[in-house]
Amino acid sequence: FTPNMGGDVDYLVVAGGGGSGGYGGGGGAGGFRTGTGLAVTAQAYTVTVGAGGAGANYNSTSPASNGGNSVFSSITSLGGGGGSARNHAGANGGSGGGGNGGYHSSPGSGTAGQGNNGGGAGGTYFGGGGGGASAVGGTGSSGGAGAGGAGTASSYSGSSVTYAGGGGGATDTANAGGAGGAGGGGKGFGNDGNAVAGSANTGGGGGAGGSSITGNTAGGSGIVIIRY
């Protein structure tokens, strides 16, 4: 981004959403930062749009990946935390990844001013939802997996769009998967269908998958909008 003179700009910087964990927690939404009156000068500014994090299967020895950071000038939004899988707790990030019901119930923490914590698990195979920009991820229970936390709307694109929703947690085939949070969060695996990835250019977290067979999903890429 290269302005030809100094002045103030408005910005929306949303990081990539976290990937999901198998039979576990939904991915946390990418960090959401917006503001007005950011001073710029006549120079080139590198803009980085964070990619969505990869998912991790149930038996993976590696955790689900955090989303990539998005950066403009002095503004950095942190990638969403990966959701918990069998061998790993939910990761911290812009918003935290959801907890896993089987082994690691701990959800990840969000970052103040960017997002919220992931939701905890509610027993074996009832994963928590990833945190969103506006709300904590839902807690899993015997009735189903936790929903992803809701995102936040912005009109900087010219119309109102909601960004940075958390991914839903996963459960077994007898119960409903967690709904994706408004703002691109993917739905989690359950008796109502397979997991859904976070939506591109929203920073939404990936919905948690059931296993290596049903798959685990990636978070959605982020977005940077500069208005002047």
Side-chain angles (χ1 to χ4, degrees):
F1 173 69
T2 307
N4 60 10
M5 61 185 294
D8 292 342
V9 300
D10 305 333
Y11 62 86
L12 171 69
V13 180
V14 181
S20 68
Y23 275 132
F32 179 101
R33 297 188 66 185
T34 189
T36 61
L38 178 67
V40 297
T41 59
Q43 61 173 301
Y45 292 86
T46 298
V47 176
T48 302
V49 177
N57 291 329
Y58 173 64
N59 286 318
S60 175
T61 58
S62 299
S65 298
N66 282 20
N69 296 346
S70 288
V71 183
F72 165 60
S73 185
S74 61
I75 307 301
T76 298
S77 291
L78 301 178
S84 171
R86 178 180 183 182
N87 298 302
H88 303 277
N92 303 333
S95 283
N100 175 282
Y103 294 85
H104 287 286
S105 61
S106 300
S109 297
T111 300
Q114 299 193 28
N116 289 277
N117 298 342
T124 302
Y125 302 140
F126 297 104
S134 291
V136 174
T139 300
S141 71
S142 59
T152 299
S154 170
S155 298
Y156 283 5
S157 67
S159 59
S160 181
V161 178
T162 302
Y163 302 93
T171 183
D172 54 25
T173 55
N175 295 280
K187 174 196 150 316
F189 173 82
N191 65 2
D192 47 354
N194 288 339
V196 177
S199 298
N201 299 127
T202 66
S211 67
S212 59
I213 297 172
T214 55
N216 304 285
T217 63
S221 54
I223 192 168
V224 175
I225 298 175
I226 303 163
R227 185 173 72 164
Y228 59 94

